Amino acid sequence: MQRWRGLEEIPGDWGRSVVTIGSFDGVHLGHQLIVNRAVARARELGVQAVVVTFDPHPSEVVRPGSHPPLLAPHPRRAELLAELGVDAVLVLPFTTEFSQESPQTFVQQVLVDALHARLVIEGPNFRFGHKAAGDVALLAELGRAADFEVEVVDLQVRGAAGGGEPFSSTLTRRLVAEGDVAGAAEVLGRPHRVEGVVVRGAQRGRDLGYPTANVDTVPHSAVPADGVYAGWLTVLGRPGPLLPDAGQGGRMPAAISVGTNPTFNGTTRTVEAYAIDRVGLDLYGLHVAVDFLAYLRGMEKFDTIEALLDRMADDVKQARELTE
């Protein structure tokens, strides 16, 4: 799959495309409906399927300081879209100047001149252009004049998550913030993931017999509520020679702690993952992913180290059983 940042990276000989536009944060099941439709129609028409998205999130430019928690950083988003069969992802830098472009200018510069759209597929609530002035009706009108069609797909999916709310990135962020990672997984179609680089922490886990990977998460990451979770730890960066058990990108069952370590009067919120039954791992400096499968318990302050160790043993036992 090709990845472009900005219009200037699109090959000059790029042909006709089926295009869909949006933030696609999380690439949840609703997003997948639209993307799958775009890929299917592209195959029918014998053209390429292109996803157009934005960085940073438009709200951060329009309302500075309002950047929502990210369900997936752009590299992860691209991986998920590639798995769905997308041929190219175009990330448009979202600037103040870009935000002030009219719907007509956006269509001409992006869809017509750059991507040579033959078909554009969107959800019914799609908006574009300065102050979100454009909607799917205007897009269809502009398409008739520019030789592309518009197809509207209802991307709403419902399930038990969120009490039956339509699946959305907003709902997923709320479920993650509440620690309902099982509900978030229902919306996403997979466990919620947090990525980052392993850094040195206080190393208390090592002293207690449970060495953890302290993950410095990607900025704006949607980190679950404080508590203990079952899940997996995966090495995304190049494994070093001291990873005999993980293997190349191996997924390891893990007990995961999110919080400030109240037993030790901590003040910094961290994400720490203990790779269950793995010995001799040296993950410092590696890029890893933490996938959250199940919420086990809330964060607690224990009166003694012994009480903490007893509870950690129970946490690991539960996590091991859930991830077998």
Side-chain angles (χ1 to χ4, degrees):
M1 185 187 74
Q2 299 192 48
R3 304 182 190 186
W4 310 314
R5 185 171 180 85
L7 298 176
E8 63 279 1
E9 292 192 6
I10 300 174
D13 60 352
W14 188 255
R16 302 298 297 270
S17 305
V18 173
V19 183
T20 184
I21 308 159
S23 68
F24 295 101
D25 186 21
V27 193
H28 58 67
L29 292 180
H31 293 149
Q32 291 174 39
L33 282 178
I34 285 190
V35 174
N36 285 334
R37 180 61 178 168
V39 170
R41 293 290 283 128
R43 300 296 178 265
E44 291 172 8
L45 296 171
V47 299
Q48 305 293 297
V50 181
V51 169
V52 178
T53 188
F54 310 96
D55 184 42
H57 194 282
S59 66
E60 180 64 16
V61 175
V62 178
R63 297 178 299 278
S66 65
H67 199 304
L70 290 179
L71 298 169
H74 278 283
R76 172 62 172 163
R77 233 175 284 185
E79 290 173 7
L80 295 168
L81 292 169
E83 289 173 5
L84 296 176
V86 170
D87 298 298
V89 172
L90 168 62
V91 179
L92 292 175
F94 199 91
T95 62
T96 300
E97 181 182 16
F98 181 82
S99 73
Q100 294 172 348
E101 288 186 354
S102 68
Q104 292 80 1
T105 298
F106 176 84
V107 166
Q108 185 63 45
Q109 292 184 347
V110 178
L111 296 178
V112 179
D113 295 342
L115 296 176
H116 313 299
R118 180 169 176 181
L119 172 66
V120 179
I121 297 181
E122 295 298 339
N125 298 320
F126 174 66
R127 310 290 300 200
F128 65 105
H130 183 49
K131 295 186 177 179
D135 57 12
V136 290
L138 177 60
L139 184 63
E141 178 184 330
L142 296 173
R144 284 190 289 272
D147 190 31
F148 68 80
E149 298 179 8
V150 174
E151 182 177 330
V152 178
V153 175
D154 185 354
L155 53 75
Q156 290 194 350
V157 184
R158 295 175 186 268
E165 282 187 40
F167 289 175
S168 67
S169 297
T170 300
L171 170 61
T172 312
R173 293 185 190 107
R174 192 184 82 217
L175 294 171
V176 169
E178 293 171 352
D180 185 1
V181 294
E186 182 184 357
V187 180
L188 295 170
R190 64 185 180 280
H192 174 59
R193 168 174 288 192
V194 170
E195 295 183 18
V197 174
V198 178
V199 297
R200 293 191 182 277
Q203 297 188 311
R204 295 192 190 94
R206 186 177 303 276
D207 294 337
L208 296 173
Y210 295 98
T212 59
N214 189 335
V215 183
D216 184 16
T217 57
V218 172
H220 303 296
S221 292
V223 176
D226 289 2
V228 177
Y229 300 82
W232 293 276
L233 175 67
T234 303
V235 177
L236 301 179
R238 186 178 64 186
L242 299 180
L243 293 174
D245 294 317
Q248 178 72 34
R251 188 174 80 158
M252 300 171 280
I256 307 155
S257 172
V258 178
T260 60
N261 293 306
T263 300
F264 299 97
N265 299 315
T267 57
T268 301
R269 194 164 186 254
T270 61
V271 176
E272 301 179 61
Y274 166 62
I276 299 172
D277 300 330
R278 301 301 175 112
V279 178
L281 298 180
D282 182 359
L283 304 178
Y284 293 121
L286 294 179
H287 186 193
V288 301
V290 179
D291 292 311
F292 292 83
L293 173 66
Y295 175 86
L296 300 182
R297 64 174 175 86
M299 189 56 60
E300 301 176 44
K301 182 172 183 176
F302 294 90
D303 294 330
T304 65
I305 298 300
E306 290 73 19
L308 171 62
L309 287 171
D310 287 344
R311 193 55 185 270
M312 290 174 69
D314 289 339
D315 296 337
V316 170
K317 180 175 182 293
Q318 290 185 66
R320 182 186 293 110
E321 292 171 350
L322 289 168
T323 54
E324 285 181 345

